[in-house]
Every structure is written in C-alpha cells, then in structure tokens.
Amino acid sequence: QVQLVESGGGLVQPGGSLRLSCVASGSIFSSYAMGWYRQAPGKQRESVAGIISGGKPNYADSVKGRFTISRDNAKNTVYLQMNSLKPEDTAVYYCNAVVVVRAGAQLSSHWGQGTQVTVSS
C-alpha cells in the first residue's frame, strides 16, 4: 500500500500565498513522478504541476509564473508553492504519485485525500 498525505491548504486572500506538502509512504521501491491536481466544484480534475524524477517540472498555463513545484526525493515529498493566488485557484488540491511498489512491478498511480484551498476576501 502507498499512502499520500497532503497538508498546507486553507483560506487565503487574493494575492496571498500557500505552500502545500505531500508525503508519500508505504511500499515504494522507486518514485517515477509526483504532481498536483485540482478539482473545483462542478469541474473536472485538472493537472496543476508535475515533476518526473530527474526531469524538469511542468505547469498548467493558468499557474505558470505563480506556482512552483519541488520535490525532496530522500523524503518522498513533493511541495507546491502557490503565490499570487486568485479566486479561480479555489479547489481541492490532490497529490499524485507514480511509483514502482516492488522490483519488477509496473508503474502504479496513487492519490492523496485532497486538501481544500480557498482564495477569497
């Protein structure tokens, strides 16, 4: 089993900042990619940012220049620094990890439970 635990969500005013964290634990042989998705009420889940081991991060156009993703491989942790937040960033943010759970196994995708981010004055 792989567990992902997110933290750092909350209520922030427009223009403010938040930092999300996601710690992956459990049966992880190797980690291929980690990323963040979000889902606003009435909308589909969308990719926000992702980073592959040894690769460059990628971002949704809507957050480029405002959000920064980073990861600490030793801690199996991924972060999302969110600056200049806008009301349209309001959503539940989900952490995703693509890992190999044991030697010889295929890649598998895992999700956290989500953390609410609300941007409002």
Side-chain angles (χ1 to χ4, degrees):
Q1 289 283 357
V2 176
Q3 296 83 37
L4 301 179
V5 179
E6 302 113 329
S7 61
L11 173 64
V12 63
Q13 292 186 342
S17 298
L18 283 175
R19 187 192 195 210
L20 306 183
S21 300
C22 172
V23 181
S25 62
S27 179
I28 300 174
F29 178 75
S30 64
S31 176
Y32 173 70
M34 297 187 78
W36 292 93
Y37 291 71
R38 67 186 180 187
Q39 188 167 18
K43 295 187 177 181
Q44 289 189 331
R45 190 174 298 189
E46 62 176 358
S47 175
V48 175
I51 185 166
I52 296 174
S53 292
K56 294 182 178 180
N58 60 84
Y59 299 94
D61 288 343
S62 59
V63 307
K64 282 181 181 176
R66 300 188 297 122
F67 291 11
T68 302
I69 188 171
S70 61
R71 61 184 293 179
D72 183 334
N73 291 328
K75 297 181 179 180
N76 276 333
T77 300
V78 63
Y79 305 95
L80 186 68
Q81 178 66 44
M82 305 185 293
N83 299 328
S84 302
L85 282 161
K86 305 175 181 179
E88 51 263 44
D89 294 318
T90 296
V92 177
Y93 283 70
Y94 296 92
C95 176
N96 175 264
V98 180
V99 304
V100 175
V101 296
R102 62 182 180 280
Q106 293 185 336
L107 292 171
S108 57
S109 178
H110 304 268
W111 294 91
Q113 80 287 350
T115 185
Q116 177 70 46
V117 172
T118 302
V119 185
S120 175
S121 55

